[in-house]
Amino acid sequence: MNVPIDSAHLATMKFGVGQSVPRAEDPALIRGEGCYTDDVSVAGQVYLSMVRSPHAHGVIRGIDVSVARSMPGVLAIYTGRDLLAAGYKPQTCRLTVNNADGTPMRKTYRHALATDKVRFVGDPVACVVARSDHEALDAAEAVLLDIEVLDCVVESRDAAAPGAPLLYDDVPDNISVDFRSGDAAKVAEAFERAAHVTRLHLFNNRIVVNPMEVRAVVAQYEPESQRFVMHIPTQGVSGSRAAVADVLNVPPEKVRILAKNVGGSFGMKPAIFPEYICAAHAARDLGLPVKWNDTRSDSFVSDHHGRDHEFSLALALDADGHFLAVRADGTANLGAYLTGFGPLIPTVNVSKHLASCYRTPLIEVHTRGVLTNTVPTTAYRGAGRPEGNYYLERLIDTAAREMGIDAAELRRRNHIAPEQMPYKAASGATYDSGEFAAVLQEALDAADWDGFDARLADSAARGLWRGRGIGQFLEVTAPPSKELGAIRFDPDGGVTLTTGTHDHGQGHLTSFAQIVSERLGVPFEAVRLMQTDSDAVTGGGGTGGSKSLMASGTAFYEASDLVIEKARRAAAHLLEAAESDIEFTAGAFAIAGTDRTIGVIDIARRLANAEALPEGVPETLDVSHVHESSPSTFPNGCHIAEVKIDPETGHVAVVKYTSVNDFGTLVNPLIVAGQIQGGVVQGIGQCLMERTVYTPDGQLASGSFVDYAMPRAEDAPEVHFISHPVPARTNPLGVKGCGEAGCAGSMTSVMNALADALARHGVPAMDMPATPSLVFAAIRAARAS
């Protein structure tokens, strides 16, 4: 019963908040003991295969399934009419972004299988269920489609042009949302009185998300309970249950979602994809478990894509280089259907992040979100945060070059000072904390900014061009809404945490266990995490927007306090003392002034074994707590990249990378460093490699890894990670989100470094992706001029 305080204290020191504890999730995954959706198999399961449109735009005149239906092993073939007859609802975007005139945006309504038109290559029109996956695939290929092909539009700049093909009769000019923010008159006046105006036109290239795990589903139907049970990869089982139930037109309690291990998502997997609804329908119709697993090649057109924005940008400055206003005017390619977050990203999220860490007094954003005959776009690591920061940082470096001001000095002149906190930014957000000038200076020192000339000369001696770039950023994380934080003490001495966020690579178990271990003094290794079953996870907002620690972490912090309150009453009874005499220190309750102690785990065990307890003594220490809400946080940092260009081939390599980051309190520095490294490499991929290409007739020309380059280990520099923590004042842990910041820092710093290297040789700056062929062409064009 007695737990030495020193032992509990040592455990806290080793596994508490701030310690670089190796991820508890990893050993099982390394041993191959993870359970991803494709690892799930149910006795008697049959297999689903999708029939997709080979055309980007067209009217469905007929679907001939006669040959396919007679093929071996085929059990059923369904079309859009079958799903309509079953009473399923179309999916639509639940968010509303208003137009400039105050009217709501025009939404799309997507059925799991197209019923009237196909609107992009890969749009599902039918599905086949057979005894084996090979039989299902063979039969799917035998389904004959009669599609009257229509003209299509694939580029956002063309979608609203006069005479462009319309995807929907009720969406004039293909414009789903015409968003404006800011005071246009005041911004115009600021530009009129500006001593200098910098202008850029930037393209934020479309990204194929490509998580390591392709999507899959295993669907079952329980006729006795009339309940659907579905295994899917997701970012939150509670939200997915509600979304699936909505489409299937059943109450949420008639759906159970299971998602054990998820192999990456980056914002793409929260959606309810057509395949999930088709599998659920087939499971109920046939009375058999139904499995579907995507292929990598199909995922290029069946998953959602990311980014794909094009903006004309302008920065107004006075004669001393102080920012007066920034303006962004552009289009965003939303694809053929609106996704759950698609319209929010290039509108509200970009406008929030154009302010960054500077005292820019005025911001104006005008975004036209347009529909095209391409794969729908959604959140991709950052979801507007990297984009907004990228636009501003490119403007700042260009302005510095044009005005003859050092790029670091121009930033210093415009930084928000710590003594100005809390600071109401032009974006409308109120920053609570940050030391932006100090972060910049620490990054400059760590990157050996002053020693660059020697490295430049060394590269020149080797026939290579070298450049350096600063990427300072500030993110506005998603504000945590209600989030579950339940703590249960198990009979075997374990402690089970339950919450609605979902781990798909972030290390939630480790981080949450560190919080609870420190607060309660329970053994780190005794902590388990339940995020995977919607029957157990009764609420919560899921993972997204870099908010998990602010949401689930705060929920567990608050829940721990509730456990301590209950345990104090129980300890008073068990130690035969007055509750007022019970002290809690380093994981143990003690009678003040004595060495009589008892730990939380022992209290839980004694309560569970007690036959009778006096009134007022809790029967268990279990708590189920909901964290109501807390404000957004403002993680920020400064990344500095150096690149080398081979002018004879156009190849660009990132050869030096330094990052200084303010993520507030670091629960686990090792995990945070890993998150930054991953985000940085993804940003480098977008900057230099990943190019999504559509042909004029809507075919995806970069539809496999043969044509779509992903960063490899040899492309990744050593990422020097430094923490400059300024704890957030808006949550008890002092944490700020970190999961998406790597992209915000790398996209800005790498492209600014490339622009610097090119400018030193008279070559104009480039858009992303700066692939070798495009860089080489730019160099040749400059030499020829």
Side-chain angles (χ1 to χ4, degrees), residues 493-770:
V495 180
T496 297
L497 312 180
T498 302
T499 191
T501 56
H502 196 285
D503 186 331
H504 41 275
Q506 291 88 347
H508 283 183
L509 168 60
T510 304
S511 299
F512 298 160
Q514 287 180 256
I515 294 169
V516 174
S517 177
E518 177 174 285
R519 295 290 292 165
L520 298 180
V522 300
F524 172 85
E525 61 275 10
V527 180
R528 303 158 178 151
L529 180 61
M530 165 50 68
Q531 300 178 304
T532 60
D533 185 347
S534 65
D535 278 3
V537 180
T538 55
T543 296
S546 296
K547 71 176 190 299
S548 292
L549 267 182
M550 286 81 75
S552 295
T554 300
F556 288 129
Y557 184 99
E558 294 170 345
S560 296
D561 285 346
L562 298 178
V563 170
I564 292 170
E565 289 179 15
K566 295 179 73 173
R568 190 185 306 276
R569 298 198 303 272
H573 165 67
L574 295 172
L575 295 175
E576 299 177 335
E579 186 177 337
S580 59
D581 291 335
I582 299 297
E583 296 177 342
F584 179 69
T585 306
F589 292 88
I591 301 175
T594 76
D595 61 357
R596 295 184 61 201
T597 66
I598 184 171
V600 172
I601 295 294
D602 284 335
I603 293 174
R605 185 180 296 112
R606 291 280 297 276
L607 293 178
N609 294 331
E611 295 183 0
L613 292 167
E615 183 179 352
V617 176
E619 295 181 359
T620 75
L621 298 186
D622 299 351
V623 300
S624 183
H625 171 70
V626 174
H627 170 62
E628 289 296 329
S629 65
S630 55
S632 296
T633 61
F634 305 97
N636 62 89
C638 182
H639 292 198
I640 296 177
E642 292 186 17
V643 302
K644 288 195 298 191
I645 303 173
D646 184 343
E648 301 306 316
T649 64
H651 180 262
V652 180
V654 182
V655 294
K656 196 171 190 294
Y657 199 97
T658 304
S659 73
V660 176
N661 308 274
D662 170 15
F663 299 136
T665 301
L666 301 189
V667 172
N668 187 312
L670 184 65
I671 288 178
V672 173
Q675 287 290 309
I676 286 297
Q677 291 165 359
V680 165
V681 173
Q682 282 186 273
I684 291 172
Q686 180 173 358
C687 290
L688 304 180
M689 303 171 196
E690 299 185 50
R691 188 182 183 198
T692 307
V693 178
Y694 276 96
T695 63
D697 62 349
Q699 297 295 324
L700 183 60
S702 52
S704 74
F705 288 149
V706 174
D707 308 294
Y708 186 93
M710 294 279 287
R712 302 184 180 188
E714 64 185 12
D715 302 309
E718 181 178 352
V719 178
H720 187 195
F721 172 80
I722 299 171
S723 177
H724 184 109
V726 182
R729 301 171 184 173
T730 53
N731 64 75
L733 290 166
V735 295
K736 304 175 182 179
C738 73
E740 296 160 308
C743 282
S746 60
M747 285 167 56
T748 54
S749 61
V750 170
M751 290 307 292
N752 276 338
L754 176 63
D756 177 58
L758 294 173
R760 293 173 187 273
H761 297 272
V763 181
M766 297 182 60
D767 264 327
M768 301 182 290

Side-chain angles (χ1 to χ4, degrees), residues 103 156 211 299 419 521 654 781-782 784:
T103 60
S156 61
S299 73
E419 57 268 22
V654 182

Side-chain angles (χ1 to χ4, degrees), residues 268-350:
M268 183 266 291
K269 287 179 179 174
I272 303 306
F273 287 88
E275 297 87 359
Y276 306 165
I277 304 304
C278 292
H281 174 73
R284 180 166 64 176
D285 186 55
L286 298 174
L288 295 169
V290 177
K291 184 171 186 175
W292 169 82
N293 200 65
D294 210 352
T295 63
R296 180 61 66 183
S297 57
D298 265 13
S299 73
F300 274 73
V301 294
S302 65
D303 289 347
H304 296 155
H305 291 174
R307 313 282 197 237
D308 202 348
H309 311 150
E310 187 171 3
F311 274 89
S312 294
L313 304 147
L315 176 64
L317 306 94
D318 68 15
D320 295 322
H322 297 123
F323 302 164
L324 302 177
V326 64
R327 178 189 285 145
D329 188 335
T331 57
N333 193 336
L334 303 178
Y337 304 95
L338 298 186
T339 61
F341 297 100
L344 184 74
I345 296 163
T347 55
V348 174
N349 278 11
V350 165

